[in-house]
Amino acid sequence: MQHPIVSREDWLAARKALFEKERAMTHQLDALRAERRQLPWVRVEKPYVFDGPDGDVTLGDLFGDRSQLAVYHFMLTPGSDHICPGCSFTVDHADAARRHFEQADLAFAAVSRAPVRRIEAVKERMGWTFPWVSSDDRDFNYDFGVSFRPEDRAAGRALYNYGLTTIRNAPDMFGLSVFAKDEEGNIYHTYSTYHRGTELLMGALNWLDLVPKGRNENGTMSWVKLHDEY
């Protein structure tokens, strides 16, 4: 790393100039977040059911006693031994965050297509405690744009990240979907994000973005491994 070495006064002048840009961006982000919260909702009509370690679990069950639910779409594909390092990096943050946002009326769960026994084995290895259920090959993952049937991939119909990417090979991708439940028990889909949108969940990147080497990558998240492989 080569950086100019300057006096404290010159550093402070440069820092204040950047500070004004940071302040402006913070206000822009505040406005964007407010706009996000005002998105219209879609009522969830399908009775989505998942396989949990203790039997069937509905989408409504994943809320517990809270009115909001964040679902992380974790890439864990049936028949594969691969555990996605990026997904693992993301959900490494979940258990710590849950201690706080569950007090603010937000529940969390992960959903994958892999069978429950595979999910439970990965949870045990990684030390995660958050709810994680299997959608198997039911509609949930396909409806929310993170799984793609072979015939759709072959025909170029497997669209990901709101159509920005056409998936040709991977049967599963990653993302986050948010749901709300009203007092009558009706469930609504309020938000989904994919690809770089999930960086919002990766608190470690915010720390790295503050330091001189930044994310220290040779390619996106090139150094990221499962946390027990470092």
Side-chain angles (χ1 to χ4, degrees), residues 54-109:
D54 299 316
D56 288 352
V57 179
T58 67
L59 182 62
D61 291 335
L62 296 177
F63 283 81
D65 60 359
R66 295 169 178 86
S67 70
Q68 302 172 110
L69 169 68
V71 170
Y72 185 75
H73 303 286
F74 193 112
M75 293 172 59
L76 198 66
T77 301
S80 173
D81 292 332
H82 180 68
I83 304 171
C84 173
C87 290
S88 299
F89 180 80
T90 303
V91 301
D92 273 340
H93 297 79
D95 281 330
R98 287 171 58 218
R99 300 171 193 172
H100 302 281
F101 62 55
E102 287 181 353
Q103 310 310 312
D105 197 27
L106 174 63
F108 174 85

Side-chain angles (χ1 to χ4, degrees), residues 1 13 33 51 58 72 92 98 100 103 105 110 116 122 138 154 178 187 201 205 216 218:
M1 293 184 296
R33 292 172 185 132
D51 301 326
T58 67
Y72 185 75
D92 273 340
R98 287 171 58 218
H100 302 281
Q103 310 310 312
D105 197 27
V116 171
V122 174
R138 304 182 187 100
V178 178
I187 297 174
L201 313 177
L205 295 185
N216 202 17
N218 293 310

Side-chain angles (χ1 to χ4, degrees), residues 13-215:
R15 177 65 189 96
K16 285 184 174 180
L18 180 63
F19 177 59
E20 291 304 319
K21 294 181 180 179
E22 289 176 335
R23 287 184 65 201
M25 182 62 69
T26 297
H27 293 314
Q28 291 176 29
L29 287 172
D30 286 342
L32 179 65
R33 292 172 185 132
E35 188 174 352
R36 180 189 297 142
R37 291 192 297 270
Q38 294 303 314
L39 277 172
W41 295 0
V42 178
R43 183 168 175 175
V44 177
E45 303 288 357
K46 284 188 181 180
Y48 292 111
V49 178
F50 309 94
D51 301 326
D54 299 316
D56 288 352
V57 179
T58 67
L59 182 62
D61 291 335
L62 296 177
F63 283 81
D65 60 359
R66 295 169 178 86
S67 70
Q68 302 172 110
L69 169 68
V71 170
Y72 185 75
H73 303 286
F74 193 112
M75 293 172 59
L76 198 66
T77 301
S80 173
D81 292 332
H82 180 68
I83 304 171
C84 173
C87 290
S88 299
F89 180 80
T90 303
V91 301
D92 273 340
H93 297 79
D95 281 330
R98 287 171 58 218
R99 300 171 193 172
H100 302 281
F101 62 55
E102 287 181 353
Q103 310 310 312
D105 197 27
L106 174 63
F108 174 85
V111 175
S112 301
R113 288 196 308 118
V116 171
R117 63 182 180 277
R118 171 68 170 149
I119 288 172
E120 289 296 296
V122 174
K123 277 186 70 174
E124 182 176 2
R125 171 182 168 178
M126 305 308 293
W128 297 325
T129 63
F130 53 79
W132 189 357
V133 295
S134 171
S135 63
D136 196 14
D137 208 35
R138 304 182 187 100
D139 289 343
F140 184 80
N141 275 41
Y142 301 102
D143 289 350
F144 288 94
V146 290
S147 293
F148 313 95
R149 294 185 172 89
E151 60 270 24
D152 292 327
R153 284 182 274 134
R157 297 190 302 263
L159 301 180
Y160 176 63
N161 197 22
Y162 300 107
L164 291 179
T165 304
T166 301
I167 302 297
R168 299 292 184 180
N169 298 311
D172 295 294
M173 292 298 287
F174 61 95
L176 174 79
S177 292
V178 178
F179 303 89
K181 185 167 63 173
D182 64 22
E183 293 181 356
E184 287 73 40
N186 300 307
I187 297 174
Y188 305 89
H189 176 217
T190 70
Y191 182 74
S192 285
T193 192
Y194 310 96
H195 203 242
R196 290 198 65 181
T198 63
E199 287 183 14
L200 295 169
L201 313 177
M202 303 176 187
L205 295 185
N206 294 320
W207 289 87
L208 293 172
D209 286 341
L210 297 174
V211 301
K213 287 188 177 181
R215 300 183 184 187

